[in-house]
Amino acid sequence: MRVMKLNEVINTTGLSRSSIYAYMSKDNFPKPIQLGPRAVAWIEEEVQGWLMERVSQSR
């Protein structure tokens, strides 16, 4: 399993930080895991799955 920090999630999805957190608040984006007191990361497979779902919805 590989984890992604916020900057990598932004680069991978093309979304802004605020858009990512807005989608998360509506349960429309994978939630991050807590790595430490002030560090979070997203599971790469979950982010990739979210992207693939978006692609299939647009086709």
Side-chain angles (χ1 to χ4, degrees), residues 29-48:
F29 194 80
K31 301 278 193 275
I33 58 171
Q34 194 77 37
L35 298 177
R38 296 184 54 174
V40 297
W42 285 258
I43 298 172
E44 182 180 31
E45 291 83 6
E46 292 179 358
V47 174
Q48 293 296 334

Side-chain angles (χ1 to χ4, degrees), residues 11-50:
N11 289 333
T12 300
T13 62
L15 297 172
S16 67
R17 178 188 184 280
S18 59
S19 293
I20 290 168
Y21 281 97
Y23 278 127
M24 283 177 18
S25 72
K26 297 176 184 173
D27 290 327
N28 291 329
F29 194 80
K31 301 278 193 275
I33 58 171
Q34 194 77 37
L35 298 177
R38 296 184 54 174
V40 297
W42 285 258
I43 298 172
E44 182 180 31
E45 291 83 6
E46 292 179 358
V47 174
Q48 293 296 334
W50 180 86

